[in-house]
Amino acid sequence: MAALVAAEASAAPGPAEAAETSETAEAAELSRALSRLLPGLEADSKLGRRRALEALQSALEAAWPEAPDADPAAAAAAFQGPWARLLLPRLLRCLADPAEGCRALAVHLLDLGLRRAARPRDALPRLLPALAARLAGPESARGRPPEACEELRLALVQLLSLAVRLGGPALAPHLDDAVRALRCTLLDPFAAVRRESCDCAASLARATPDHFHMQSESLIGPLMQSISHQHWKVRVAVTEATGTVIQFGSAKSVDDVLPHFAQRLFDDVPQVRQTVTSVVGGWLLDLRDRYSFFHKLIPLLLSSLKDDIPEIALAAANLWEKVGLQWQRENEDDLKDKLDFATPPPARHPSPENRPVLGCRELVFRNLSKILPAVCHDITDWVAGTRVKAAQLLAVLLLHAEDHMTQHLEVILRALHQACADDDSTVVSNCTRSAELIGAFVSPEVFLKLLLSMLKKSPSPSSLLVLASVIRGCSREALQPHLKVIATELARPHICQGSENRLYGERVLLCVQTLVSVCQEDCRGCSLQLVEVLVTILAFSAATGLSDKVQETMDTLAAVQGVDGSQDLYQEHAGPLLEQLAASHQDWTVHSVELLQFNVLLTHAGPALGGVLPQLVPALRSCLQPARDPQMRLRLFSSLSQVLLSAQETVNSQGQFHHYLDTVTKDILVPSLQWHAGKTAAAIRTAAVSCLWALISSDILSEKQMREVQETLMPDVLTTLEEDSQRTRLISCQIINRFLKTSGGVTDPEKFIKIYPELLKRLDDVSHEVRLAATSALVTWLACVPNDDGKAHYQSNIQFLYRELLVYLDDPEAAVQDAVLEVLKAGSILFPELLVRETEAVVEKHRSPAHCQQLLRYLQTLPPAQ
């Protein structure tokens, strides 16, 4: 009995055997079901093949257990045999079916089979070549993929991605087929196919890290052709895929990729720039050969620090800090001394609390010599965006390099000189920022030697802007020993006398303003040179419009020196400046810069002129001689008139002008009032007359001095009454009037009598104003005739004057009639009976006797003559 039981027990199957038997039964059942359906795939009709594929789909879905307690592993094992033996080969042939619907169902079934098979990698030897044939067949060489339907191409690429994920390292033998397919799909016309291909390429790189490097370079070309695709999502996918392909592939491709990545930093879409930043940061952290590419990758990451989007800039900053700290850890032995004895931030560091870590600074310093040439080249590129990026990058590099930039200073300054002439304000602002960093980190002794040398060779607005910016970044203490040297260079003629160009003048002025702002009261030692520069800029203000800015700077300079205002500066420096200018006055013309500077001192120095008359008057006398440049004489006379109008506050501020009165009248005015042919000579006479009028109107001349001036100049003034210029005739009448009022009487009868005929002629002047001025002067002349026994000497002249004046009582101009009437009334006191007779003789001859009758009535009111 026991033996029977034992025999039965040995014949009964165990659990494992039962499960295997069950799997075999399920596989056999599935195989029978598939065998019944597979012949339908060979049907001639499209409908028949489609129905067969749909039946296969239903059979596969029905064969998969849906119960919660079912074992997926057992089902996958049961599915593996029929799938690999029966279904896979037939489905792969269906990928080339003429009917698009059949091909779509075949792809779906292949996807379903791969996901359910226990060993999907066993399908790779047949699946990969088939996919490559559909995605990269001979048609693709002519620009047409074998699979015409773009949705199906997308499904095929997704199937390839699934095979890559499921196959893992087993893909290595089939890497050629996968890469061949991806090289075509990466250039597919359908954007979704390209994106999926990028994801597949990245997955392929991660799945076969030991073998991928042999094929990676062949993917770089298609990737770079797609990196500028019009869809930004494609550009993002390509960038990410490129990062992974190179990370797991050959680093040789970095050189091919970097120019394209650099272009993507200009992308209008922030997501693209963000991706480039992340990929480059990842390479700097994890690329196997990253040390060889530091000098090429660092500029790309640092460029993102200045991105317009704060999130991108922050991400770049975090990545850069990680890179620096990692490099710092990897090179801890080399940096031991610097880590143990850390130096504090430089005193003029713009943001010491945000100073880059040591690793970041060292990375920049050690690679600066390789990075700078490219940056300096791009900063003058013809594309504005490239110039902006290069200028921003240069500022970031210098912030990291600190004093280590000294050895590259000449190259940097040369690049800044070129870039500061850029039309783009963003480029210029970033370059001035770089120049300020030079001032903060480099000794003035070093940078001034280079800067001033460049300025001497070719002064330009850009070189002056660089100088001003460097000075702004420098500390007052460091700059103080070199202050006078800088001011002296700025005051050199070939530098400051280029200020006739507005931009150049602004930059020279900026240098002065920066010096004053940084050095404050230390500027007292170079005040003369700075005032000389400001005077030169002011000399060209008519063309540049900088007079207000110069005046503000002058007031600021006065304030830092503790004086009241710009007039005190002129008081201090007018003498040396005039002495320096007067050394060359013999050679001046209207185009001489020295003349313009002299003119500025003449019109702006104010009370300071009273103390520099020994230098001022000889220079004026020399420059206003008839043999000198006429245009220069005109300009100086105009300025001198302006000064003499307020002589008490200018040339006579110290009461010394009377010592030079003879020089002004005899050596300056007399030669210029004499008649010479030509319009220019006439203009000079007008200017000289205006100058004389300003002198006698300024109330600085005593009665004695006024008589001396009259004695000297009256003959010449009388001749100017015949000038063609209405202004000259008018001013001459006013001057004669003033002379007569001041003289108080007749000193020389013969000269006195010669005056009224010239005034009478002006009553026929074409100018209404001149006629009225002449009548006013005649009133004054008559008042000067003595009303005593001596008046008999003038009776014949007075009678002639009465007769002539009575003619103008019938003038067409009512104002002239009234003015002449007043003259006759004023002169009637001398010989009233004579005037009555003369008036009665002409009253009937006038068109309107009204004014004659009015005069007669006035004469009747006068007391009888004695």
Side-chain angles (χ1 to χ4, degrees):
M1 187 66 179
L4 181 59
V5 172
E8 290 177 356
S10 62
E17 292 175 352
E20 183 177 350
T21 302
S22 175
E23 290 175 6
T24 304
E26 290 178 5
E29 182 181 353
L30 181 60
S31 296
R32 286 192 296 272
L34 294 177
S35 298
R36 287 193 300 269
L37 299 173
L38 287 176
L41 298 178
E42 306 297 333
D44 292 336
S45 70
K46 175 176 68 173
L47 184 60
R49 295 193 302 275
R50 182 181 181 89
R51 286 176 178 173
L53 287 168
E54 289 173 347
L56 285 172
Q57 180 179 352
S58 300
L60 291 180
E61 290 174 350
W64 195 256
E66 297 181 0
D69 57 345
D71 184 5
F79 178 73
Q80 177 64 40
W83 153 256
R85 186 177 68 258
L86 298 174
L87 193 56
L88 179 63
R90 303 294 181 87
L91 292 177
L92 290 177
R93 286 199 296 271
C94 287
L95 291 178
D97 194 286
E100 183 179 312
C102 294
R103 297 199 302 274
L105 282 170
V107 173
H108 175 68
L109 290 173
L110 285 169
D111 181 275
L112 191 63
L114 276 180
R115 294 179 188 277
R116 293 185 175 182
R119 297 184 302 278
R121 63 188 61 186
D122 292 350
L124 296 179
R126 283 184 281 188
L127 178 62
L128 266 296
L131 291 177
R134 291 305 297 165
L135 293 171
E139 293 291 326
S140 62
R142 294 192 291 271
R144 298 192 303 272
E147 177 53 64
C149 177
E150 57 186 21
E151 286 82 3
L152 276 179
R153 292 200 302 275
L154 175 60
L156 288 169
V157 176
Q158 290 171 340
L159 183 60
L160 177 60
S161 298
L162 177 62
V164 169
R165 290 197 301 273
L166 297 176
L171 277 167
H174 315 290
L175 206 53
D176 287 348
D177 290 326
V179 169
R180 183 159 57 91
L182 289 174
R183 281 175 55 82
C184 293
T185 57
L186 284 169
L187 299 175
D188 196 274
F190 189 25
V193 174
R194 293 202 191 200
R195 293 202 305 272
E196 186 63 35
S197 300
C198 290
D199 295 339
C200 183
S203 300
L204 184 63
R206 286 189 287 266
T208 58
D210 297 332
H211 302 85
F212 185 71
H213 65 278
M214 295 183 290
Q215 294 286 346
S216 65
E217 292 182 50
S218 60
L219 290 176
I220 296 301
L223 283 169
M224 292 304 99
Q225 291 181 60
S226 295
I227 202 169
S228 58
H229 193 272
Q230 60 182 352
H231 291 184
W232 69 266
K233 290 184 178 180
V234 174
R235 300 198 295 275
V236 168
V238 168
T239 304
E240 292 175 341
T242 303
T244 306
V245 166
I246 290 181
Q247 181 71 46
F248 291 93
S250 172
K252 296 178 183 177
S253 302
V254 172
D255 290 334
D256 300 325
V257 168
L258 287 181
H260 298 278
F261 271 30
Q263 287 300 314
R264 288 309 100 209
L265 289 177
F266 298 97
D267 202 291
D268 294 332
V269 179
Q271 290 90 333
V272 178
R273 303 198 300 274
Q274 174 77 58
T275 306
V276 173
T277 301
S278 300
V279 170
V280 172
W283 285 349
L284 283 168
L285 287 169
D286 302 320
L287 194 65
R288 286 190 295 271
D289 298 331
R290 60 184 179 276
Y291 276 56
S292 303
F293 298 102
F294 271 153
H295 66 285
K296 298 179 180 180
L297 296 176
I298 287 174
L300 295 183
L301 185 57
L302 293 185
S303 294
S304 295
L305 293 176
K306 296 296 183 181
D307 196 274
D308 296 335
I309 304 300
E311 290 78 7
I312 298 177
L314 180 60
N318 292 334
L319 280 170
W320 176 235
E321 185 174 2
K322 289 179 182 177
V323 171
L325 291 173
Q326 176 179 293
W327 185 87
Q328 189 173 303
R329 289 191 300 271
E330 293 170 351
N331 297 271
E332 194 170 357
D333 293 340
D334 292 344
L335 302 175
K336 184 173 180 13
D337 290 343
K338 294 182 179 180
L339 289 170
D340 293 343
F341 306 99
T343 57
R348 296 283 292 177
H349 197 288
S351 55
E353 67 283 356
N354 296 322
R355 188 189 190 193
V357 299
L358 176 63
C360 294
R361 302 198 308 272
E362 283 291 320
L363 272 175
V364 169
F365 162 56
R366 298 188 181 202
N367 291 278
L368 191 60
S369 60
K370 299 176 183 177
I371 298 173
L372 267 182
V375 175
C376 294
H377 175 270
D378 287 349
I379 210 168
T380 57
D381 193 82
W382 68 277
V383 179
T386 303
R387 300 197 301 273
V388 171
K389 283 288 185 185
Q392 292 173 338
L393 177 58
L394 181 59
V396 175
L397 290 172
L398 297 186
L399 182 64
H400 283 75
E402 296 183 354
D403 59 342
H404 294 298
M405 73 175 80
T406 305
Q407 57 188 292
H408 309 288
L409 195 57
E410 186 172 1
V411 175
I412 295 170
L413 288 175
R414 192 181 303 117
L416 290 178
H417 283 175
Q418 293 177 313
C420 281
D422 202 288
D423 295 333
D424 194 311
S425 60
T426 308
V427 175
V428 175
S429 64
N430 281 284
C431 288
T432 56
R433 178 67 183 142
S434 296
E436 289 174 11
L437 292 173
I438 293 174
F441 296 141
V442 180
S443 166
E445 186 175 356
V446 177
F447 67 66
L448 284 177
K449 183 178 180 181
L450 295 171
L451 274 175
L452 296 181
S453 174
M454 293 179 179
L455 197 59
K456 287 178 183 176
K457 291 179 182 177
S458 57
S460 63
S462 60
S463 58
L464 289 165
L465 179 59
V466 173
L467 176 61
S469 302
V470 171
I471 292 171
R472 189 184 302 116
C474 197
S475 67
R476 174 181 173 181
E477 295 75 16
L479 204 58
Q480 196 275 334
H482 309 279
L483 186 56
K484 193 162 188 177
V485 174
I486 300 173
T488 303
E489 287 299 323
L490 289 176
R492 291 188 183 278
H494 77 286
I495 294 178
C496 69
Q497 290 183 7
S499 307
E500 57 186 328
N501 174 277
R502 179 179 175 84
L503 179 61
Y504 190 95
E506 286 178 341
R507 298 293 166 76
V508 176
L509 182 59
L510 181 61
C511 288
V512 177
Q513 291 171 336
T514 307
L515 277 176
V516 175
S517 173
V518 172
C519 298
Q520 297 293 314
E521 59 265 23
D522 293 341
C523 293
R524 186 177 289 107
C526 61
S527 178
L528 173 61
Q529 290 82 3
L530 296 180
V531 170
E532 182 180 354
V533 175
L534 293 175
V535 166
T536 305
I537 301 172
L538 199 56
F540 296 106
S541 61
T544 61
L546 294 175
S547 56
D548 292 341
K549 293 183 179 180
V550 173
Q551 189 57 50
E552 290 175 9
T553 307
M554 193 82 78
D555 293 339
T556 305
L557 179 60
V560 299
Q561 293 187 47
V563 296
D564 291 339
S566 59
Q567 292 302 319
D568 287 345
L569 291 178
Y570 283 120
Q571 194 77 39
E572 181 179 355
H573 302 304
L577 289 175
L578 275 175
E579 186 174 349
Q580 179 181 335
L581 291 172
S584 61
H585 69 77
Q586 297 290 347
D587 303 319
W588 291 355
T589 66
V590 71
H591 303 293
S592 300
V593 177
E594 292 82 3
L595 171 65
L596 300 178
Q597 293 171 311
F598 180 82
N599 202 44
V600 167
L601 289 175
L602 189 60
T603 54
H604 288 75
L609 294 177
V612 294
L613 292 176
Q615 296 89 12
L616 178 65
V617 175
L620 284 172
R621 179 181 58 195
S622 173
C623 293
L624 291 171
Q625 293 307 302
R628 301 299 297 273
D629 181 8
Q631 297 300 324
M632 176 182 71
R633 295 170 65 201
L634 280 173
R635 178 170 294 184
L636 283 177
F637 267 128
S638 175
S639 300
L640 184 58
S641 299
Q642 180 182 342
V643 170
L644 291 175
L645 281 173
S646 56
Q648 200 63 48
E649 292 80 33
T650 54
V651 290
N652 199 43
S653 61
Q654 298 185 15
Q656 300 299 312
F657 184 73
H658 63 277
H659 295 302
Y660 301 91
L661 185 59
D662 277 354
T663 303
V664 172
T665 55
K666 296 178 180 178
D667 298 340
I668 295 177
L669 294 177
V670 169
S672 298
L673 288 172
Q674 293 174 357
W675 190 89
H676 296 280
K679 292 183 178 180
T680 302
I684 291 175
R685 289 194 296 275
T686 301
V689 167
S690 301
C691 195
L692 174 58
W693 172 246
L695 174 63
I696 64 176
S697 302
S698 60
D699 297 329
I700 63 168
L701 301 181
S702 64
E703 291 186 3
K704 179 182 178 183
Q705 291 168 345
M706 185 68 83
R707 285 194 294 270
E708 292 174 353
V709 172
Q710 177 182 347
E711 184 72 22
T712 303
L713 295 176
M714 181 61 90
D716 295 303
V717 173
L718 289 175
T719 62
T720 60
L721 288 172
E722 300 291 338
E723 289 288 339
D724 293 336
S725 168
Q726 177 262 339
R727 174 180 171 80
T728 306
R729 300 194 303 273
L730 175 62
I731 296 175
S732 297
C733 289
Q734 293 170 338
I735 290 173
I736 293 171
N737 196 3
R738 178 61 67 92
F739 278 159
L740 293 173
K741 286 180 180 178
T742 309
S743 64
V746 179
T747 55
D748 188 336
E750 292 184 4
K751 293 181 179 179
F752 180 72
I753 290 174
K754 292 180 181 179
I755 297 174
Y756 84 90
E758 300 299 328
L759 293 174
L760 268 177
K761 294 177 184 178
R762 291 307 98 213
L763 293 180
D764 292 322
D765 202 280
V766 295
S767 169
H768 183 68
E769 293 182 17
V770 174
R771 300 177 75 190
L772 295 179
T775 60
S776 178
L778 284 170
V779 170
T780 307
W781 184 86
L782 288 168
C784 292
V785 177
N787 190 13
D788 54 22
D789 295 339
K791 68 180 180 180
H793 177 72
Y794 301 98
Q795 183 172 353
S796 60
N797 294 285
I798 298 299
Q799 183 178 8
F800 175 77
L801 179 58
Y802 286 164
R803 289 176 181 173
E804 293 297 320
L805 289 174
L806 285 169
V807 173
Y808 295 99
L809 281 183
D810 199 29
D811 194 87
E813 292 287 342
V816 174
Q817 288 178 322
D818 293 339
V820 172
L821 179 60
E822 295 302 319
V823 177
L824 289 169
K825 287 180 179 180
S828 64
I829 194 173
L830 297 174
F831 301 101
E833 297 85 354
L834 179 59
L835 181 55
V836 169
R837 291 196 300 272
E838 294 293 338
T839 305
E840 290 175 344
V842 299
V843 65
E844 298 300 332
K845 299 178 181 179
H846 284 192
R847 291 171 297 179
S848 172
H851 283 81
C852 289
Q853 293 171 354
Q854 185 178 349
L855 177 60
L856 289 172
R857 287 194 297 270
Y858 173 78
L859 292 173
Q860 290 173 0
T861 64
L862 293 178
Q866 298 296 325

